Amino acid sequence: MPILPSLRRRPPRPERAPVVPPTPPPPAPADPWPRAVLVLLGIALAFAVLLGLNQLRDYIAPTFLALNLVLAAAPLQRWLVQVGIPSILAAIITGGAIFAFLIAFFTALGWSAAAMVEELSSQEYRQRYTELYTQAVTFLEGYGLEQDTLTRQLESVLDPSRLISALGGVIGNLGSILGLLTTTVIVIFFLMIDTMSAGRRMALVQDQHPNVAHALVSFAQGVRRYWVVTTVFGLIVAVLDVVALFWLGVPLALAWGVLAFLTNYIPNIGFVIGLVPPAAVALLANGPVNALLVVVVYSLLNFTIQSLIQPKFTGDAVGVTPTVTFISLIVWAWVLGPVGALLALPATLLVKAVLIDADPQARWVNAFLASKPETARAETTRESFGQET
């Protein structure tokens, strides 16, 4: 008997899953503060921090100077440990080398300042200044300039007593210099003790916060390279300046060489500071032609060595643009005083390492600050440092 179609067994139909409408994403939380307010608060906080550092600069400046010296001498300590010298003895030897450098630095500064004051205080220079002053006034009066105006301008430019008073202030401020040196020496002593366990401490930071560890390592390496290369090229420029000044017959050639070496540590304007005194003495001692030759020689040496050759050896260790370098000089000279002019670039590198390089979300700022803006695209701090060097 045939099975009727209506009685045939049909396969069950698959059940359809209920259609669930997509859940809309939660609304993004609104910023509690407008961006303009946050920017203004950040600027105000930065200014408050800088003002606080300015009030404590007698302690912060020598402390940061000591940290820079210890970082610069770290390769010596590492080499001593590698050749088998116990770590505590290596720390003592390295600390002694740093102390010797400080003593030589301040001794050379005091000797050069004393030699300049003694030389410029002589009656011969005062008579020569009077002659040049009279000749300049007579020459400029021929072009219709008033004598009173010329007197004020020339006295501010040519009067050697201003230079003498400035140099005398350096010698008379020995108390502050000794205080700075004493604090720096004490801080160096404690830092050298801590260097024996610095590697273990940095390894712990590396385990917990690798970006911070890489940023601090990049800061230490960049500062070390900056100080070592600046010192070497400062010596080269100073020696060449002394040879040129002896050849031109400028008095106090050795003192001007020491001044050129010391001012080499000041970025951007250090060259000008080291040029003005020997040019003024050359003008008083040998006339305007000799002074012009001093300016030309100094400019050629500075441009060739410090602008063309030195950057090749530093490998962009500074890592910031020239504009940032100049602004940092102004800011840190105000915050930390005269020592801040020497520490401007290392201080800027420290701020950049901690606030920008250690934070992947803030690394975009390198597009405006870094000498190589490609570091703003780096995904890790190690990659960013590799691009800078």
Side-chain angles (χ1 to χ4, degrees):
M1 181 177 178
I3 300 175
L4 296 177
S6 60
L7 299 179
R8 290 177 181 175
R9 190 175 182 180
R10 298 178 180 179
R13 295 181 179 180
E15 296 182 0
R16 293 182 179 181
V19 178
V20 179
T23 304
D31 293 336
W33 299 95
R35 183 176 298 274
V37 175
L38 293 177
V39 171
L40 293 176
L41 288 176
I43 294 175
L45 180 60
F47 181 77
V49 171
L50 292 177
L51 188 60
L53 294 177
N54 176 264
Q55 298 299 315
L56 299 174
R57 65 182 182 180
D58 291 339
Y59 306 98
I60 294 179
T63 300
F64 192 60
L65 175 61
L67 175 63
N68 277 262
L69 294 174
V70 171
L71 290 177
L76 173 61
Q77 184 178 4
R78 189 182 305 114
W79 176 79
L80 292 174
V81 173
Q82 290 176 353
V83 298
I85 296 178
S87 58
I88 185 171
L89 184 58
I92 294 174
I93 295 174
T94 305
I98 297 175
F99 296 152
F101 173 79
L102 281 176
I103 293 173
F105 184 92
F106 284 100
T107 301
L109 177 63
W111 171 80
S112 61
M116 295 174 199
V117 170
E118 182 180 0
E119 180 73 17
L120 294 176
S121 298
S122 63
Q123 187 64 28
E124 178 183 355
Y125 281 97
R126 295 185 179 277
Q127 293 177 354
R128 180 59 179 164
Y129 160 73
T130 303
E131 295 175 0
L132 287 175
Y133 171 75
T134 303
Q135 295 174 4
V137 169
T138 303
F139 174 78
L140 294 175
E141 280 183 346
Y143 291 90
L145 298 177
E146 298 181 359
Q147 185 174 359
D148 293 338
T149 304
L150 293 174
T151 301
R152 291 192 299 269
Q153 297 297 327
L154 292 176
E155 282 182 352
S156 62
V157 174
L158 298 177
D159 192 356
S161 62
R162 293 180 177 269
L163 180 59
I164 295 173
S165 61
L167 297 174
V170 174
I171 298 178
N173 202 20
L174 289 178
S176 300
I177 296 177
L178 290 177
L180 171 67
L181 184 60
T182 301
T183 306
T184 303
V185 167
I186 294 174
V187 176
I188 289 174
F189 173 78
F190 289 106
L191 287 176
M192 294 310 301
I193 296 176
D194 291 337
T195 56
M196 293 185 289
S197 61
R200 185 171 70 253
R201 298 175 187 274
M202 188 56 66
L204 295 174
V205 177
Q206 170 72 28
D207 293 337
Q208 301 295 325
H209 302 282
N211 284 333
V212 176
H214 292 322
L216 293 178
V217 170
S218 67
F219 159 73
Q221 294 178 355
V223 166
R224 185 181 305 122
R225 185 181 306 165
Y226 167 74
W227 283 116
V228 172
V229 174
T230 302
T231 300
V232 172
F233 278 90
L235 287 173
I236 295 174
V237 171
V239 170
L240 294 178
D241 286 342
V242 169
V243 173
L245 292 176
F246 269 121
W247 177 66
L248 293 174
V250 179
L252 298 174
L254 287 176
W256 305 132
V258 172
L259 180 64
F261 170 72
L262 299 180
T263 56
N264 181 69
Y265 289 105
I266 304 176
N268 298 116
I269 65 173
F271 158 69
V272 178
I273 298 175
L275 167 63
V276 172
V281 170
L283 176 64
L284 295 174
N286 302 323
V289 175
N290 192 258
L292 180 60
L293 290 176
V294 170
V295 174
V296 172
V297 170
Y298 263 63
S299 300
L300 289 177
L301 290 176
N302 177 79
F303 178 77
T304 303
I305 296 178
Q306 297 179 342
S307 300
L308 298 181
I309 302 177
Q310 183 172 338
K312 302 298 182 181
F313 287 86
T314 57
D316 291 329
V318 176
V320 294
T321 64
T323 302
V324 175
T325 302
F326 182 72
I327 294 175
S328 66
L329 173 65
I330 297 175
V331 172
W332 292 112
W334 169 72
V335 173
L336 300 179
V339 181
L342 300 176
L343 302 176
L345 287 177
T348 301
L349 288 181
L350 178 60
V351 174
K352 179 175 176 289
V354 174
L355 299 183
I356 298 175
D357 295 337
D359 186 1
Q361 296 181 351
R363 201 166 294 136
W364 61 270
V365 183
N366 280 332
F368 302 99
L369 302 183
S371 57
K372 293 185 178 180
E374 294 80 8
T375 57
R377 298 177 178 176
E379 297 181 357
T380 63
T381 304
R382 182 187 293 274
E383 181 185 350
S384 174
F385 176 61
Q387 292 177 359
E388 288 184 358
T389 57

